[in-house]
Amino acid sequence: MTPADIQTEQRQLELAVEQAIESAKRLGADSAEVSISRQTGLSVNTRNGELENIEFNKDGALGIAVYRDGRKGSASTSDLRPEAIARTVAAALDISRYTNPDPYSGLAPADDLAWDAPSLELCFPEQLEPADGIALALRCEQHALHRDPRIKQSDGASFSSNLGIKVYGNSHGFVKGYAASRFGISCVLIGEQDGDMQREYGYTSARSLGDLWTPEQVADEAVSRTLGRLGARKIDTQRAPVLFHPDVAASLFGHLVMGISGGNLYRESSFLLDSLGEQIFPDWFDIHEQPHLAKGLASSPFDNEGVRTVERRIIEQGKLQTYLLTSYSARKLDMALTGHAGGIHNWNIANTGQSFEQLLKMLGTGLLVTEMMGQGVNIVTGDYSRGAAGFWVENGEIAYPVEEITIAGNLRDMYQGIQAVGTDTELRSSLKTGSVLIDEMKIAGQ
């Protein structure tokens, strides 16, 4: 799609939103909100040097929520013809007759909406043919398969290109939208040595095609990770310091997101209940949210309720500065909303100045975690237990790969036990962090 095509389609979607809102008012709704999205994309997969499949997608849907006498009704449709939209609005109003009144439901306040939404450089359309994607995926595979004889085969390489247009509107008179693009290349490899087989991957993701790693860089990452896993051993059960590689360190703060999300807080199902202003991390630790970064993978001018997004300190000097609240959870908790309907926006975890190699020296003897498995985290209590793999480190040097282990602790203790955050920041995530060193965890092995 060209920029002109995108503008035309966005305007058509905005008109559909306006039609739905007007229809809801006409049929007796006290208020209404409508969201609509349209995605187009190309996905190419190759395996061992041959094309496996090509997928084109073009889809979208309109969702409407209506409010009448404190009751809410919702409905959706993928058919955007005027008559289909009218039927969907009528269905939502009919559903509202059977729901219970809820004094906390409703639109976000008009004063909190992004009336002056900024442009964030999120859309970089490309006129791509399937052959372009095939060539990139094949380049990635071919480079990987010729790097080392221990790389026995590819488990697949892929290229993806997606463009989405999102529009949100409500009966406050707010109707705005924006377009965003995303491109990606990935590769999965299988290596073998002395009968031991391991599987690992490499990938790149960006808003702009020109900001992607080259296929060769992706292949190099996949090869390095795969070869590094060969010859993995088991280790004895013990307590030791743990260094989380950036690839997995972001998950530590994903649990923080869950712990301070309004839905878990008002249900009293969070280990961080009543923790606002408390010392959760060491006093040097900071998390800064930046929703308006140009080309940011988690940038957004407004959230899923049209609420403006703003820069804010999530953690400052180790203390929790804010919860993450939608309009509903804010009313339930009698607090101000924060513009987090739909998720977070570019969290940046401040580093403490050490390189990855320096963190290994600080670790001394302990575990470097590069892969996590399972979902063993209890958000209510903070208890943490997950399968892991990585490397055993001795005297600040990587000694050998390890597998079939479990690491355990409690998130509150783990957060307080963070000793350092590295400068090796992972930029391919909405949570940008370097390696994270924790003073001690329980490691269950053989």
Side-chain angles (χ1 to χ4, degrees):
M1 297 176 70
T2 67
D5 292 334
I6 294 169
Q7 289 182 349
T8 299
E9 183 154 0
Q10 180 173 323
R11 183 53 190 152
Q12 291 173 344
L13 297 180
E14 289 170 352
L15 290 172
V17 168
E18 291 169 359
Q19 176 201 338
I21 293 170
E22 288 302 317
S23 181
K25 290 179 181 178
R26 189 168 58 252
L27 293 173
D30 298 327
S31 60
E33 57 184 336
V34 180
S35 60
I36 192 169
S37 62
R38 179 68 60 81
Q39 295 88 30
T40 58
L42 165 68
S43 177
V44 171
N45 292 278
T46 62
R47 188 182 299 268
N48 288 316
E50 295 183 358
L51 176 64
E52 189 168 58
N53 60 58
I54 301 173
E55 294 183 6
F56 296 92
N57 72 284
K58 183 170 185 177
D59 52 42
L62 176 148
I64 182 166
V66 298
Y67 304 92
R68 183 165 57 184
D69 299 328
R71 303 172 187 270
K72 178 182 177 180
S74 301
S76 63
T77 179
S78 57
D79 186 346
L80 301 184
R81 293 176 300 170
E83 58 271 25
I85 293 174
R87 288 195 300 269
T88 304
V89 173
L93 280 161
D94 187 53
I95 290 169
S96 72
R97 295 167 49 204
Y98 302 98
T99 60
N100 293 321
D102 186 343
Y104 303 106
S105 66
L107 308 180
D111 290 345
D112 291 310
L113 301 181
W115 297 101
D116 297 315
S119 175
L120 302 180
E121 297 181 56
L122 303 181
C123 188
F124 297 87
E126 296 280 350
Q127 301 296 316
L128 293 171
E129 297 296 330
D132 300 319
I134 294 169
L136 290 169
L138 287 175
R139 270 177 59 189
C140 187
E141 272 200 321
Q142 289 166 359
H143 184 77
L145 291 170
H146 291 89
R147 277 286 314 278
D148 192 288
R150 290 170 293 175
I151 300 297
K152 297 302 182 183
Q153 61 179 300
S154 164
D155 203 22
S158 68
F159 170 80
S160 62
S161 168
N162 292 282
L163 190 149
I165 303 173
K166 172 184 175 181
V167 175
Y168 171 86
N170 62 34
S171 49
H172 288 315
F174 180 92
V175 177
K176 288 191 180 293
Y178 63 93
S181 57
R182 186 179 292 244
F183 302 87
I185 302 172
S186 66
C187 181
V188 183
L189 301 175
I190 297 173
E192 183 178 2
Q193 177 178 284
D194 300 327
D196 176 37
M197 298 185 70
Q198 297 287 347
R199 182 176 182 270
E200 266 291 359
Y201 69 96
Y203 78 100
T204 179
S205 180
R207 293 288 189 190
S208 166
L209 184 65
D211 289 334
L212 291 177
W213 291 1
T214 66
E216 290 75 19
Q217 288 173 306
V218 174
D220 287 343
E221 181 184 55
V223 169
S224 176
R225 291 168 63 111
T226 304
L227 297 181
R229 291 285 302 277
L230 292 172
R233 311 180 196 174
K234 298 179 182 178
I235 56 175
D236 293 333
T237 295
Q238 59 192 286
R239 299 189 72 88
V242 175
L243 178 62
F244 288 81
H245 190 274
D247 288 347
V248 295
S251 69
L252 295 173
F253 307 112
H255 305 314
L256 174 65
V257 174
M258 296 295 293
I260 62 175
S261 292
N264 288 328
L265 293 167
Y266 74 71
R267 295 184 184 95
E268 299 187 353
S269 57
S270 168
F271 72 103
L272 291 175
L273 194 66
D274 300 322
S275 295
L276 201 60
E278 283 192 11
Q279 193 80 36
I280 306 299
F281 294 87
D283 58 12
W284 49 262
F285 190 92
D286 290 320
I287 298 179
H288 185 199
E289 183 172 58
Q290 296 178 285
H292 298 162
L293 290 178
K295 295 187 176 182
L297 291 176
S299 293
S300 178
F302 52 84
D303 74 355
N304 289 354
E305 297 182 300
V307 174
R308 70 175 72 90
T309 52
V310 298
E311 285 197 27
R312 64 179 72 237
R313 297 287 176 177
I314 307 298
I315 302 290
E316 188 168 21
Q317 296 181 346
K319 294 181 179 179
L320 179 62
Q321 302 296 309
T322 182
Y323 291 143
L324 309 178
L325 305 179
T326 64
S327 62
Y328 185 86
S329 59
R331 293 184 190 108
K332 292 281 284 189
L333 295 168
D334 193 23
M335 301 178 72
L337 51 71
T338 62
H340 286 96
I344 63 169
H345 315 288
N346 300 319
W347 277 19
N348 293 285
I349 287 78
N351 67 70
T352 48
Q354 297 91 349
S355 67
F356 176 68
E357 290 73 21
Q358 289 172 322
L359 288 181
L360 287 176
K361 298 297 183 185
M362 289 180 65
L363 175 70
T365 297
L367 178 67
L368 166 62
V369 176
T370 58
E371 182 180 0
M372 306 289 293
M373 290 83 78
Q375 304 295 325
V377 180
N378 187 327
I379 292 299
V380 179
T381 64
D383 290 337
Y384 183 100
S385 178
R386 297 189 65 187
F391 298 87
W392 188 249
V393 178
E394 294 181 353
N395 300 317
E397 300 287 341
I398 293 177
Y400 50 83
V402 296
E403 62 183 1
E404 296 183 23
I405 55 176
T406 299
I407 55 175
N410 183 276
L411 286 168
R412 275 189 174 270
D413 297 333
M414 292 163 63
Y415 290 160
Q416 286 284 356
I418 293 177
Q419 302 294 295
V421 178
T423 57
D424 52 338
T425 304
E426 172 57 70
L427 301 176
R428 296 169 292 181
S429 170
S430 59
L431 280 159
K432 296 176 175 60
T433 179
S435 296
V436 174
L437 176 60
I438 294 180
D439 57 358
E440 185 179 79
M441 293 184 69
K442 182 177 181 180
I443 304 168
Q446 59 185 358

